Amino acid sequence: SGPPGFVALDCDTVLDYCAAKPEVAAALGGAEGRGAWSAKEVGDGNINFVYIVSNGAGGAIIVKQGLPFVRVVGESWPLTQERVRYEAEALMIAHGYCPQHVPEVHLYDAPMSVIVMRYLEPPHIILRGGIIAGTVYPKLAAHVGEYLATTLFGSSALAIGCEALRKARQAFGQNEDMCALTEQVIFTEPYAKADNNHWTSPQLDDAAAALRTDSELKSAICSLKRRFACDGAALLHGDLHTGSIMCTESTTFVIDHEFAFYGPLGFDIGAFLANLFLAYFAQDGYEGDRSSQREWLLACVKETWATFERRFVQLWDERGVSAGNAGLTPAALYDAGAGAEGDAAAALRAHQAAYMREVLTDSFGYAGAKMTRRVVGIAHVADLESIKDQDARARCERRALACGRRFMLEAKELSIEDAVAMAEELRA
Amino acid sequence: SGPPGFVALDCDTVLDYCAAKPEVAAALGGAEGRGAWSAKEVGDGNINFVYIVSNGAGGAIIVKQGLPFVRVVGESWPLTQERVRYEAEALMIAHGYCPQHVPEVHLYDAPMSVIVMRYLEPPHIILRGGIIAGTVYPKLAAHVGEYLATTLFGSSALAIGCEALRKARQAFGQNEDMCALTEQVIFTEPYAKADNNHWTSPQLDDAAAALRTDSELKSAICSLKRRFACDGAALLHGDLHTGSIMCTESTTFVIDHEFAFYGPLGFDIGAFLANLFLAYFAQDGYEGDRSSQREWLLACVKETWATFERRFVQLWDERGVSAGNAGLTPAALYDAGAGAEGDAAAALRAHQAAYMREVLTDSFGYAGAKMTRRVVGIAHVADLESIKDQDARARCERRALACGRRFMLEAKELSIEDAVAMAEELRA
Ligand SMILES: Nc1ncnc2c1ncn2[C@@H]1O[C@H](COP(=O)(O)OP(=O)(O)O)[C@@H](O)[C@H]1O
Ligand SMILES: Nc1ncnc2c1ncn2[C@@H]1O[C@H](COP(=O)(O)OP(=O)(O)O)[C@@H](O)[C@H]1O
Ligand SMILES: [Mg+2]
Ligand SMILES: [Mg+2]
Ligand SMILES: [Mg+2]
Ligand SMILES: [Mg+2]
Ligand SMILES: [Mg+2]
């Protein structure tokens, strides 16, 4: 199956493929070295195949191929390969905004549904694994804050104006399949009876049942779903959990943009924060003293938001007050040099504060939704799943659920410090 | 100028045009009657040409043609004719949702930028003119409430689900030119120095100047602009003022959908309410006792919202709880018959109330923006412009500005009764 020109690769044919594509062969030092090349399939995700192709001389690239179905389920759950186009474009756009935290794309091959990109060499590992292993990443918050600020600001109407936003959004398209998947597994199933749902049972049976009768939470999730589907404010990653980040102690890269779509900024921010909180709540299920990592995780929540906010406003000050009528904060209103009257600088600061407050509110809402679905929905997180003792795991998960619920219901009132304090109290 | 195949019509050539198009000739009783046909140009709008073509035997149709520039300005303000495609599609879609309040389209001719539609025969007149003349329209609120509920519900994800919304939005496009125009004249210029701005001077010089230094209002208008550009929730009319409505005492039709785009529901509702409030504030500038019409206008505000809300929720109850995961209020959460747990009906009512509150908040925000721009921006309303005495007019306009400001700043707290009471107080 698959479109014309599509062939599913394997560890042998991927080498032929690389040799046949000049830009790929070049990245491996030239096709003439082909005899020394080798490939390994390392896809640990649920959906796609990922090959590391090494040239035997220390060089390597990543070849990622999307098949016309969900990998872990098989042909019975089809998925159009259009998602690979979205992923490739979003990767390239994000790399443009934030080259230091997004791998470079060497090739996007539409008929083959292949993306060839920079190999993030060891010691880069998937952040989630590093956190579970107890590692602390001192640069993570600053890097992810930078990634979020540059990509979300850069693709928003604040940077490019409303006209260009409309054009870019129309050209990018709607990533139908992946948005539909999100609507199913994040915004619907956790609050309903669904075959996909599972949880630590019987320990959390009551908590899962409570979600299905929680009218306040249902209203909150439906409001979040509405904005997910309607509020095309910026080009999002769309699935920014700690399994979509690769890092070392000094470097951080965001990968796997296949859920990219134009949506509300808080969806990406909330996804990342949710995964930090999930890791935080999981800690009590692990052996040994994790107190310093626990503190780091909460510091990371605060620093991510602080970095995001500071950088976003900085970019706004530098480039957000656009000259035209398409600007979201047009110079005519906010730039004294362009004739804006009154204390234009103070006016801009006041609007920026109001804007950031809305983004933070959305971030809490989406964070809560993500935490909830990771405990009772189709796809859980290894942070919690790796806790062997079911009672211990359920205790952690119950706290995560309680925290997620409060984030969703109290989003409008919470500061980032409140949110951290709430998590600490729920653990105490 | 214009695209290939485009010729600007006039009162003679429009007859040839109608005779040559079978579906148009048929609507006029057949091309063989052509000798008795006559045409009159009646476009009173700013942008396009509108011909009434009569067959001399009591039958008539409307031929509306868009030129590649703004009619009142001329070739110096170009406008792509793509807007006619948006208008034609939106008219047809709205007619599908609400045939009793939207004229039927006989023909859309893309190369000629022509829409041929039902002629709304006398005594249909443009609502704004009727109101200025002192007429009361007892059915207006019920009809416009019905129009708003059916079109906004029908095109939203509540009715069709998120997947279909994404598809419809992508297929419709972004109506670039007209949205850009709105961003300029509604969301930017009134709060800045702009050559297009004008107002009753010197009486309102201070009020206009105050807008340019009002940091709270600037923040509010920029937030409204952001949602205008980002929140693609439903297919809107996009310019629903009282000059886009034709009526008799017993019938009401919405015309002129050329600003149609996917946006926030409150933008259409607010536009209509704003024009009722503008008419209300204008009354004190007219001769004679207008007290009963004044009361009707405020009753109309309340009844429009009440009708809209009741019908919207009724449609939601009937068709909004969709079976799939794409539903905004999926059956799995809200339909006991589909397995939803808890008091699903009460949960749905609670969410509906929260949803309607958000729509009302948006409606006040956009109403305030529309009122403001009609007093100080490029395009004023005849309701106020027809007041000859400059001092009297300025008094009315100042109240409209004050009311608009409060709508924008207090939108979140206001009920529809509060808004009406506020208007009454500002007049007292
Ligand atoms: N650029 C890269 N460098 C190194 N390893 C990568 C790279 N991209 C992906 N991987 C590895 O492949 C795994 C799956 O990749 P990912 O893009 O997340 O696929 P999926 O879409 O299936 O989730 C990652 O968890 C990581 O281990
Ligand atoms: N279907 C119709 N039946 C009767 N008169 C119409 C109809 N459509 C337009 N008109 C007349 O033409 C005028 C201009 O039409 P409109 O669609 O508002 O054009 P514009 O886009 O230029 O504002 C209206 O104000 C009305 O007087
Ligand atoms: Mg992945
Ligand atoms: Mg992926
Ligand atoms: Mg008009
Ligand atoms: Mg008009
Ligand atoms: Mg028009």
Side-chain angles (χ1 to χ4, degrees):
Chain A
S1 56
F6 174 80
V7 185
L9 296 170
D10 61 32
C11 281
D12 292 326
T13 56
V14 71
L15 301 181
D16 303 330
Y17 179 82
C18 291
K21 296 280 175 191
E23 55 277 67
V24 181
L28 288 165
E32 59 282 6
R34 148 95 217 243
W37 295 359
S38 64
K40 199 164 76 169
E41 208 280 313
V42 296
D44 58 357
N46 299 321
I47 302 186
N48 303 294
F49 290 80
V50 177
Y51 303 89
I52 302 174
V53 178
S54 308
N55 68 2
I61 52 157
I62 287 286
V63 178
K64 179 171 179 179
Q65 185 175 41
L67 268 55
F69 51 81
V70 175
R71 175 178 188 164
V72 289
V73 179
E75 312 235 357
S76 68
W77 191 331
L79 208 58
T80 69
Q81 289 162 310
E82 186 69 3
R83 73 185 187 278
V84 184
R85 200 263 297 164
Y86 289 109
E87 177 170 359
E89 282 192 23
L91 259 172
M92 292 185 275
I93 292 169
H95 179 81
Y97 291 131
C98 193
Q100 68 276 41
H101 300 304
V102 182
E104 193 190 341
V105 170
H106 298 303
L107 174 75
Y108 163 53
D109 179 345
M112 283 289 282
S113 299
V114 158
I115 299 170
V116 181
M117 71 184 104
R118 170 179 167 185
Y119 171 53
L120 299 167
E121 69 292 344
H124 281 101
I125 59 165
I126 287 288
L127 172 59
R128 191 186 302 287
I131 291 177
I132 293 171
T135 311
V136 157
Y137 294 92
K139 300 282 182 67
L140 179 68
H143 289 172
V144 175
E146 172 76 13
Y147 170 84
L148 288 168
T150 52
T151 58
L152 299 181
F153 180 83
S155 61
S156 79
L158 285 169
I160 64 176
C162 299
E163 291 191 62
L165 173 70
R166 274 189 289 276
K167 222 172 257 167
R169 199 166 52 195
Q170 184 75 19
F172 189 75
Q174 310 260 338
N175 207 350
E176 298 76 5
D177 281 14
M178 306 316 274
C179 285
L181 201 55
T182 300
E183 282 153 5
Q184 174 180 349
V185 303
I186 298 182
F187 294 112
T188 306
E189 290 181 347
Y191 310 89
K193 274 203 206 107
D195 291 342
N196 286 325
N197 288 345
H198 60 103
W199 54 82
T200 305
S201 181
Q203 288 86 345
L204 293 186
D205 289 357
D206 65 326
L211 290 175
R212 300 194 299 269
T213 59
D214 190 330
S215 112
E216 282 183 282
L217 208 59
K218 285 184 184 181
S219 181
I221 198 68
C222 289
S223 296
L224 291 163
K225 188 181 196 178
R226 194 198 79 69
R227 286 209 303 290
F228 174 88
C230 297
D231 189 11
L235 182 56
L236 308 188
H237 180 282
D239 192 27
L240 193 56
H241 55 78
T242 46
S244 296
I245 295 174
M246 296 191 73
C247 51
T248 68
E249 290 191 17
S250 59
T251 57
T252 308
F253 288 89
V254 175
I255 61 168
D256 198 9
H257 291 63
E258 79 188 311
F259 284 81
F261 75 109
Y262 277 85
L265 283 62
F267 188 75
D268 269 4
I269 302 164
F272 182 66
L273 298 183
N275 278 268
L276 296 178
F277 282 112
L278 288 168
Y280 173 80
F281 286 114
Q283 302 262 328
D284 289 302
Y286 303 152
E287 310 276 290
D289 177 17
R290 307 272 294 212
S291 56
S292 68
Q293 202 200 28
R294 214 160 43 220
E295 276 167 37
W296 166 72
L297 283 165
L298 294 187
C300 200
V301 165
K302 290 194 265 195
E303 195 192 340
T304 299
W305 174 258
T307 305
F308 167 75
E309 185 175 41
R310 189 177 57 244
R311 272 294 276 152
F312 194 94
V313 170
Q314 186 191 344
L315 291 165
W316 192 339
D317 286 336
E318 288 168 13
R319 308 198 283 114
V321 180
S322 101
N325 293 307
L328 265 194
T329 44
L333 272 66
Y334 286 114
D335 181 352
E341 298 178 17
D343 189 341
L348 182 61
R349 278 195 301 279
H351 180 62
Q352 287 170 334
Y355 182 99
M356 298 313 286
R357 174 65 248 185
E358 277 192 34
V359 173
L360 184 59
T361 295
D362 272 5
S363 301
F364 286 131
Y366 289 114
K370 297 257 181 181
M371 291 164 74
T372 305
R373 76 102 163 192
R374 291 298 194 181
V375 176
V376 302
I378 186 172
H380 291 209
V381 289
D383 313 64
L384 290 158
E385 298 280 277
S386 62
I387 301 170
K388 295 277 145 42
D389 179 322
Q390 300 278 306
D391 291 328
R393 179 161 97 201
R395 261 193 311 278
C396 297
E397 290 172 332
R398 193 179 286 278
R399 290 169 186 159
L401 278 183
C403 190
R405 180 174 194 275
R406 290 192 58 187
F407 284 178
M408 288 169 71
L409 298 184
E410 299 169 32
K412 281 197 176 114
E413 288 87 43
L414 294 177
S415 69
I416 197 79
E417 290 77 18
D418 293 336
V420 163
M422 189 181 283
E424 283 174 321
E425 274 162 38
L426 281 163
R427 232 198 105 237
Chain B
S1 56
F6 174 80
V7 186
L9 296 170
D10 61 33
C11 281
D12 292 326
T13 56
V14 72
L15 301 182
D16 302 331
Y17 179 83
C18 291
K21 297 280 174 190
E23 55 278 65
V24 181
L28 287 164
E32 58 281 8
R34 149 95 218 243
W37 295 0
S38 65
K40 199 164 76 168
E41 208 280 314
V42 295
D44 59 357
N46 299 321
I47 301 186
N48 302 295
F49 291 80
V50 176
Y51 303 89
I52 302 173
V53 178
S54 309
N55 68 3
I61 51 157
I62 287 286
V63 177
K64 179 170 178 178
Q65 185 175 42
L67 267 55
F69 50 81
V70 175
R71 175 179 187 164
V72 290
V73 179
E75 313 234 358
S76 68
W77 191 330
L79 209 57
T80 67
Q81 288 162 308
E82 185 70 2
R83 72 183 187 278
V84 184
R85 201 262 298 164
Y86 290 107
E87 177 171 0
E89 283 193 22
L91 258 172
M92 291 185 277
I93 292 169
H95 179 79
Y97 291 131
C98 194
Q100 68 275 42
H101 300 303
V102 182
E104 193 191 341
V105 171
H106 298 301
L107 173 76
Y108 163 52
D109 179 345
M112 282 289 282
S113 299
V114 158
I115 298 170
V116 182
M117 72 183 103
R118 170 178 168 185
Y119 172 53
L120 298 168
E121 69 292 346
H124 281 101
I125 60 165
I126 288 288
L127 172 59
R128 191 186 304 287
I131 292 176
I132 293 170
T135 311
V136 157
Y137 294 91
K139 300 282 182 66
L140 179 68
H143 290 172
V144 175
E146 172 76 13
Y147 170 85
L148 288 167
T150 52
T151 58
L152 299 181
F153 180 83
S155 62
S156 79
L158 285 170
I160 64 176
C162 299
E163 291 191 62
L165 173 71
R166 275 189 289 276
K167 223 171 258 168
R169 200 165 53 194
Q170 184 74 18
F172 189 76
Q174 310 261 337
N175 207 349
E176 298 76 6
D177 281 13
M178 306 317 274
C179 285
L181 201 57
T182 300
E183 282 154 4
Q184 174 181 349
V185 303
I186 297 181
F187 294 111
T188 307
E189 289 181 348
Y191 311 87
K193 274 203 205 107
D195 291 342
N196 286 325
N197 289 345
H198 60 103
W199 54 81
T200 305
S201 181
Q203 288 87 344
L204 293 185
D205 289 358
D206 64 327
L211 290 176
R212 300 194 299 269
T213 59
D214 190 331
S215 111
E216 282 183 280
L217 209 59
K218 285 184 184 181
S219 181
I221 198 68
C222 289
S223 296
L224 290 164
K225 188 182 196 177
R226 194 198 79 68
R227 284 208 305 289
F228 174 87
C230 297
D231 188 13
L235 182 57
L236 308 188
H237 180 281
D239 193 26
L240 192 57
H241 54 79
T242 47
S244 296
I245 295 174
M246 296 192 71
C247 51
T248 67
E249 290 193 15
S250 59
T251 57
T252 308
F253 288 89
V254 175
I255 62 168
D256 199 9
H257 291 65
E258 82 188 308
F259 283 81
F261 74 110
Y262 277 85
L265 284 61
F267 188 74
D268 268 5
I269 302 164
F272 182 66
L273 298 184
N275 278 268
L276 296 178
F277 281 112
L278 289 168
Y280 172 81
F281 287 113
Q283 301 262 329
D284 290 302
Y286 303 152
E287 310 276 289
D289 177 17
R290 307 273 294 214
S291 55
S292 67
Q293 202 200 29
R294 213 159 45 219
E295 277 167 36
W296 167 73
L297 283 165
L298 294 187
C300 200
V301 165
K302 289 195 264 194
E303 194 191 341
T304 299
W305 174 257
T307 305
F308 166 74
E309 186 175 39
R310 189 176 54 243
R311 272 295 275 151
F312 194 93
V313 170
Q314 185 191 344
L315 291 165
W316 192 339
D317 287 336
E318 289 168 12
R319 308 198 284 114
V321 180
S322 100
N325 293 307
L328 264 194
T329 43
L333 273 66
Y334 285 114
D335 181 353
E341 297 178 18
D343 189 341
L348 182 60
R349 279 195 301 279
H351 181 61
Q352 287 171 333
Y355 182 100
M356 298 313 287
R357 174 65 249 185
E358 276 192 34
V359 173
L360 183 61
T361 295
D362 271 5
S363 301
F364 286 130
Y366 288 114
K370 297 260 181 178
M371 292 164 74
T372 305
R373 76 102 163 194
R374 291 298 194 180
V375 176
V376 302
I378 186 173
H380 291 209
V381 289
D383 313 64
L384 290 159
E385 298 281 276
S386 63
I387 301 170
K388 296 276 143 43
D389 180 322
Q390 301 277 306
D391 291 327
R393 180 161 96 200
R395 261 195 310 278
C396 297
E397 289 172 332
R398 192 180 287 277
R399 291 171 186 158
L401 278 182
C403 190
R405 180 175 194 275
R406 291 193 58 188
F407 284 177
M408 288 169 71
L409 297 184
E410 300 169 32
K412 280 197 177 114
E413 287 89 43
L414 292 178
S415 68
I416 197 79
E417 290 77 20
D418 293 337
V420 163
M422 188 182 284
E424 283 175 321
E425 274 161 40
L426 282 162
R427 231 198 106 238

